[in-house]
Amino acid sequence: MAAALMLRVSVRLQFRQRRVFADSVAMVSSRGMASKTSVGFIGLGNMGTPMAKNLIKHGYPVITYDVFPEACKEIQEMGSQVTDSPADVAERADRIITMLPSNPNVIEVYTGNNGILKKVKKGSLLIDSSTIDPAVSKDLAKEAEKMGAVFMDAPVSGGVGAARAGNLTFMVGGVEQEFDAAKELLTCMGSNVVYCGEVGTGQAAKICNNMLLAVSMIGTAETMNLGIRLGLDPKLLAKILNMSSGRCWSSDTYNPVPGVMEGVPSANSYQGGFGTTLMAKDLGLAQISATNTKTPIPLGSLAHQVYRIMCAKGYALKDFSSVFQFLREEENL
Ligand code: NAD
């Protein structure tokens, strides 16, 4: 008990020392301009790439790794250094953000043979923005603490558009004293950075949000489909919903019907955006959490099944709003 407390105090002291050092580097620059210390970024997919770009735009040199090297190309063209492993990133940066698909990828990146924790510097701040099981975040925080580092979960809401615009919402779990240090980086990528509580609570908030999103997207898709069947023009129906009590994010910002809105996946054959497979994964996390806490989630469970069936029927890599197309195909059977 006493040893654990000592370790915690020592991690915080080391972290503060690192921050003082980072601040002094920022102040002393040969050209008289403020320069910032490097930030590691692992997972340059649909979300990671625009998020890392925003860090660069805010003056942070970014050191990257992705298991699929092609994914780093865009960010490399902006001057980012590409490394060969998560351990390499940890050797070169003491603040690292990870943005990976799911539990196994995150576990591999942190604890694998070439994982971050193999080379992490004492006092490092590790922020995981992937959506994963809160229990995994808690385990990783314990492992990081053993190495003298701080791990926080900071999953996001907002989609690719918000990642590009730098107005994501971050839900942050972890040691409260480190929240300001995390916020310094997260505000470069998001307009809302909310402290939720101990490690894992950011994931809890995210899982709840995505269960509601899944239910509302299916609801919007079936509502729009019924209206079209009844002879309504989809644009007009969307306009009426958006000025009425049925309005939601899925109807006014991310409408699933092709031709209703520009700049959303439904306007681009459901490419990019938030993959159906990722939504099915998040609903699986909600299902596990609901089972563990004996919480009834009838609509969340049904939404989970709908998205799993879609994955089995060839929709896995399409955006999750393709549930509209899935319903149209079902009605034609
Ligand atoms: P993505 O599949 O587009 O990108 C993930 C990236 O991680 C890929 O480039 C992949 O090559 C890389 N990767 C996988 N395993 C790796 C490993 N072991 N080492 C290094 N790199 C690895 O996924 P995304 O859409 O960017 O989503 C990332 C996370 O954010 C997911 O947890 C998702 O649930 C969450 N999320 C996504 C959205 C969205 O709209 N896409 C919105 C909110 C949250």
Side-chain angles (χ1 to χ4, degrees), residues 285-330:
L285 296 174
Q287 191 66 64
I288 294 167
S289 303
T291 306
N292 289 343
T293 53
K294 297 189 172 61
T295 310
I297 53 160
L299 293 184
S301 298
L302 189 55
H304 184 203
Q305 295 306 316
V306 169
Y307 279 109
R308 282 182 55 191
I309 294 169
M310 285 175 66
C311 289
K313 291 203 168 187
Y315 287 80
L317 298 179
K318 291 188 178 192
D319 179 74
F320 80 114
S321 64
S322 62
V323 65
F324 173 77
Q325 190 185 24
F326 171 71
L327 292 174
R328 295 292 285 234
E329 282 178 11
E330 288 296 293

Side-chain angles (χ1 to χ4, degrees), residues 3-331:
L5 189 68
M6 291 278 289
L7 183 62
R8 238 171 248 146
V9 170
S10 136
V11 166
R12 278 181 205 147
L13 275 175
Q14 282 152 359
F15 188 69
R16 283 208 183 102
Q17 279 159 7
R18 183 185 59 68
R19 298 265 310 133
V20 168
F21 174 70
D23 290 347
S24 63
V25 170
M27 280 160 54
V28 181
S29 157
S30 56
R31 290 181 192 173
M33 282 167 62
S35 62
K36 293 174 176 165
T37 55
S38 297
V39 175
F41 205 109
I42 302 177
L44 283 300
N46 287 332
M47 295 293 285
T49 296
M51 288 166 70
K53 277 183 174 178
N54 280 330
L55 281 172
I56 293 175
K57 282 180 199 156
H58 278 81
Y60 290 94
V62 171
I63 295 174
T64 57
Y65 171 73
D66 193 291
V67 73
F68 178 52
E70 194 69 9
C72 299
K73 219 174 152 198
E74 225 180 303
I75 204 84
Q76 196 171 17
E77 281 163 8
M78 286 180 77
S80 164
Q81 261 183 66
V82 180
T83 66
D84 292 332
S85 71
D88 283 350
V89 175
E91 263 188 320
R92 298 183 205 187
D94 57 12
R95 291 182 284 183
I96 302 175
I97 297 170
T98 47
M99 192 55 171
L100 300 154
S102 57
N103 289 339
N105 317 104
V106 176
I107 293 169
E108 170 71 21
V109 161
Y110 280 88
T111 65
N113 287 339
N114 276 316
I116 292 172
L117 296 180
K118 286 284 181 292
K119 290 277 169 70
V120 71
K121 293 183 210 165
K122 283 198 166 48
S124 290
L125 175 62
L126 311 173
I127 303 174
D128 180 38
S129 286
S130 328
T131 306
I132 59 163
D133 188 337
V136 172
S137 304
K138 287 180 191 170
D139 287 348
L140 291 175
K142 280 186 201 141
E143 294 306 311
E145 194 173 331
K146 283 182 201 161
M147 304 303 296
V150 174
F151 174 96
M152 301 184 95
D153 55 311
V156 304
S157 176
V160 174
R164 283 195 201 111
N167 57 20
L168 290 166
T169 292
F170 284 90
M171 300 155 234
V172 187
V175 183
E176 193 168 7
Q177 291 89 324
E178 311 302 357
F179 176 61
D180 284 346
K183 201 172 171 187
E184 178 192 323
L185 298 180
L186 301 180
T187 46
C188 301
M189 303 175 282
S191 46
N192 299 308
V193 182
V194 185
Y195 182 68
C196 300
E198 65 183 25
V199 70
T201 53
Q203 296 294 353
K206 170 67 186 170
I207 288 169
C208 291
N209 177 74
N210 272 25
M211 185 173 81
L212 180 57
L213 171 63
V215 170
S216 78
M217 180 56 80
I218 297 172
T220 302
E222 62 188 42
T223 298
M224 292 295 297
N225 195 30
L226 177 63
I228 293 164
R229 284 264 157 187
L230 292 173
L232 286 163
D233 170 67
K235 268 192 173 172
L236 176 71
L237 177 57
K239 190 176 162 188
I240 293 167
L241 292 177
N242 293 338
M243 54 176 67
S244 308
S245 48
R247 180 177 65 84
C248 61
W249 188 85
S250 301
S251 70
D252 73 0
T253 307
Y254 211 87
N255 200 287
V257 182
V260 167
M261 292 180 74
E262 294 296 316
V264 288
S266 61
N268 187 28
S269 310
Y270 300 106
Q271 285 170 32
F274 182 45
T276 295
T277 186
L278 290 177
M279 180 51 101
K281 177 252 319 183
D282 290 357
L283 289 164
L285 296 174
Q287 191 66 64
I288 294 167
S289 303
T291 306
N292 289 343
T293 53
K294 297 189 172 61
T295 310
I297 53 160
L299 293 184
S301 298
L302 189 55
H304 184 203
Q305 295 306 316
V306 169
Y307 279 109
R308 282 182 55 191
I309 294 169
M310 285 175 66
C311 289
K313 291 203 168 187
Y315 287 80
L317 298 179
K318 291 188 178 192
D319 179 74
F320 80 114
S321 64
S322 62
V323 65
F324 173 77
Q325 190 185 24
F326 171 71
L327 292 174
R328 295 292 285 234
E329 282 178 11
E330 288 296 293
E331 78 184 5

